[in-house]
């Protein structure tokens, strides 16, 4: 049997035939296994002799199976290598790669600048409670200033946030009265505005909040000036104009010199030489106390900038809608910007 098996193994033409032979000889109902089973009928002297013999045969066959298997596998590999030729001299096929969206580029750059100024980055929900979006910002129900931000309501108490300012209250509550608070929060916001060249119903803001002992308006101005100069160039000037937000007092709107005309006046800046990029102010004492801070002991400033507005200026784009229509010809320009 051993001789017959060895011959058949050596002649097995492929891996399947070899497997069939393995079952035939070494399988549960294989010939060798049958021999072992039959040992019960042997005498006590014969048993160890036959047992040893069977084991030797098994080892020989197993080794022969392993050798033949290796040889057959090698043959399969050789055949593959012979039939599939790779021409390494052919020119490579370029893989089209995406590019970072200009808005994300601006957000990343702004994050880097503010991290350099010692800020942490916070993130908050886009589906927000009316409580955080308005009430905790000194905008009780029926307050007329709510009309400044026409909102998408989901239920009476839940809406799509109209600005990133709810993160002021959320951050202060999380800090439980501890100072300093120094965060920025980039994210999407939603308003029922009609879309045009400078307005979108969904846009992006970066909120900033600093709360500590002795924070003043000059800290706000210094921080914004440093940001604007790193973002737009060392010669940039900023201009603070009095404004109104219920959650800051005093409130300002901040303009930068028009990047198109350098301040001499053009269509982009409506001949004024200045362009508004954000709203800001000193955190209102009521906002501080509602969020667990004593306005007698600490003060703070906050700002909220429109990321699209900054990207429009930085890259000289004339229509905000380019950011959302995903025309690859537009997006491709920012590959190395
Ligand atoms: C606010 O949203 C305030 N939360 C900003 C703020 C934060 C003030 C902290 C004080 C303290 P405002 O509605 O002005 O303010 O929006 C801020 C900026 O978002 C604007 O300067 C503008 O750049 C941008 N923005 C506003 N509406 C739109 C819109 N529909 N599309 C694109 N950008 C917009």
């Amino acid at each position: 049997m051993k001789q017959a098996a060895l011959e058949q193994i050596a002649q097995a033409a492929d891996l399947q035939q070899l497997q069939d032979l393995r079952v035939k000889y070494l399988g549960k109902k294989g010939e060798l296994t049958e021999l072992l089973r039959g040992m019960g009928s042997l005498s006590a002297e014969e048993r160890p002799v036959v047992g040893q013999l069977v084991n030797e045969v098994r080892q020989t066959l197993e080794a022969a199976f392993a050798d033949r298997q290796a040889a057959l596998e090698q043959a399969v590999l050789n055949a593959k290598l012979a039939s599939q030729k790779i021409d390494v001299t052919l020119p490579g096929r370029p893989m089209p790669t995406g590019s970072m969206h200009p808005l994300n580029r601006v957000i990343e750059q702004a994050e880097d600048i503010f991290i350099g100024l010692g800020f942490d980055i916070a993130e908050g929900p886009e589906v927000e409670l009316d409580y955080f979006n308005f009430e905790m910002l000194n905008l009780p129900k029926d307050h007329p200033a709510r009309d400044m931000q026409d909102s998408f309501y989901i239920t009476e108490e839940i809406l799509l946030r109209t600005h990133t300012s709810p993160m002021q209250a959320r951050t202060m509550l999380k800090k439980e009265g501890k100072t300093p608070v120094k965060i920025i929060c980039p994210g999407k916001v939603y308003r029922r505005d009609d879309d045009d060249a400078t307005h979108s119903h969904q846009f992006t803001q970066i909120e900033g909040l600093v709360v500590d002992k002795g924070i003043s308006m000059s800290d706000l101005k210094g921080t914004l000036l440093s940001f604007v100069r790193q973002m737009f160039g060392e010669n940039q000037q900023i201009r603070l104009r009095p404004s109104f937000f219920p959650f800051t007092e005093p409130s300002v709107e901040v303009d930068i010199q028009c990047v198109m005309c350098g301040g001499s006046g053009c269509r982009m800046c409506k001949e004024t030489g200045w362009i508004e990029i954000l709203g800001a102010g000193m955190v209102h004492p009521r906002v501080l106390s509602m969020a667990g801070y004593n306005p007698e002991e600490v003060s703070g400033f906050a700002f909220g900038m429109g990321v699209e507005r900054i990207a429009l200026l930085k890259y000289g784009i004339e229509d905000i809608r380019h950011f959302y229509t995903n025309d690859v010809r537009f997006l491709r320009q920012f590959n190395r910007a």
Side-chain angles (χ1 to χ4, degrees):
M1 183 194 83
K2 175 179 157 192
Q3 214 44 51
L6 285 176
E7 268 169 33
Q8 287 171 9
I9 291 169
Q11 282 163 15
D14 56 37
L15 289 165
Q16 185 55 51
Q17 273 187 21
L18 193 67
Q19 178 60 16
D20 293 345
L21 286 172
R22 203 191 305 265
V23 172
K24 180 173 174 213
Y25 289 105
L26 303 180
K28 260 193 209 149
K29 291 184 182 148
E31 292 182 19
L32 210 62
T33 323
E34 290 296 318
L35 273 180
L36 280 175
R37 262 198 213 117
M39 276 176 42
S41 59
L42 296 177
S43 69
E45 298 88 62
E46 283 172 323
R47 235 177 267 160
V49 181
V50 175
Q52 197 185 353
L53 198 66
V54 172
N55 270 337
E56 274 170 22
V57 172
R58 168 179 283 276
Q59 276 165 16
T60 312
L61 292 190
E62 273 172 358
F65 273 119
D67 284 351
R68 186 68 191 144
Q69 176 154 354
L72 286 173
E73 282 172 353
Q74 187 61 44
V76 171
L77 186 65
N78 287 343
K80 253 197 198 158
L81 287 174
S83 66
Q84 300 174 353
K85 284 215 177 73
I86 297 172
D87 183 353
V88 291
T89 63
L90 276 177
R93 272 187 224 132
M95 299 286 281
T97 52
S99 54
M100 194 184 265
H101 195 279
L103 292 178
N104 287 334
R105 234 172 231 287
V106 168
I107 291 173
E108 273 200 4
Q109 202 180 343
E111 285 179 348
D112 282 349
I113 294 171
F114 281 112
I115 286 171
L117 294 171
F119 284 73
D120 286 333
I121 295 172
E123 270 182 42
E126 290 171 28
V127 179
E128 184 56 285
L129 294 171
D130 179 282
Y131 179 70
F132 284 117
N133 196 81
F134 289 129
E135 282 179 48
M136 285 292 277
L137 292 168
N138 201 24
L139 271 151
K141 291 213 159 64
D142 305 321
H143 192 292
R146 282 192 178 205
D147 294 346
M148 288 163 74
Q149 301 181 359
D150 211 352
S151 320
F152 290 112
Y153 275 90
I154 293 170
T155 69
E156 217 168 286
E157 297 302 330
I158 300 172
L159 75 168
L160 298 180
R161 67 178 173 191
T162 56
H163 51 179
T164 41
S165 297
M167 279 305 285
Q168 292 185 28
R170 282 185 177 274
T171 305
M172 285 191 273
L173 287 176
K174 202 168 154 200
K175 286 282 254 181
E176 296 177 331
K178 289 197 255 321
T179 52
V181 178
K182 203 170 177 188
I183 57 111
I184 59 159
C185 170
K188 293 192 185 78
V189 301
Y190 304 82
R191 287 187 202 175
R192 289 184 50 193
D193 285 347
D194 290 330
D195 292 1
D196 62 23
T198 53
H199 291 85
S200 171
H201 59 281
Q202 180 233 292
F203 59 102
T204 320
Q205 287 190 337
I206 298 179
E207 192 78 10
L209 172 70
V210 173
V211 180
D212 206 347
K213 287 199 176 71
I215 296 293
S216 72
M217 199 80 180
S218 63
D219 296 309
L220 170 63
K221 192 171 176 189
T223 302
L224 292 177
L225 188 60
S226 175
F227 167 76
V228 163
R229 288 192 167 165
Q230 290 183 66
M231 187 56 104
F232 291 102
E234 272 310 304
N235 297 322
Q236 259 295 343
Q237 290 295 338
I238 58 171
R239 184 172 81 167
L240 274 58
R241 278 179 294 109
S243 184
F244 170 76
F245 297 102
F247 33 94
T248 46
E249 180 59 37
S251 303
V252 289
E253 274 172 333
V254 177
D255 302 336
I256 62 169
Q257 278 171 312
C258 180
V259 252
M260 302 295 154
C261 59
S264 58
C266 67
R267 237 185 57 202
M268 181 96 176
C269 56
K270 298 194 185 92
E271 309 299 333
T272 62
W274 296 91
I275 287 187
E276 179 206 319
I277 56 160
L278 59 90
M282 299 305 294
V283 182
H284 195 289
R286 269 186 61 78
V287 174
L288 286 173
S289 60
M290 274 190 284
Y293 285 79
N294 183 350
E296 304 288 325
E297 290 173 8
V298 297
S299 53
F301 69 73
F303 57 83
M305 62 177 79
V307 174
E308 282 78 359
R309 194 63 73 86
I310 296 194
L312 289 175
L313 295 173
K314 196 167 167 62
Y315 298 121
I317 299 162
E318 76 290 354
D319 194 319
I320 197 171
R321 286 167 290 202
H322 284 310
F323 292 129
Y324 300 110
T325 39
N326 281 337
D327 183 336
V328 286
R329 290 168 304 177
F330 168 76
L331 295 173
R332 225 178 256 143
Q333 300 174 86
F334 299 93
N335 257 340
R336 284 178 302 276

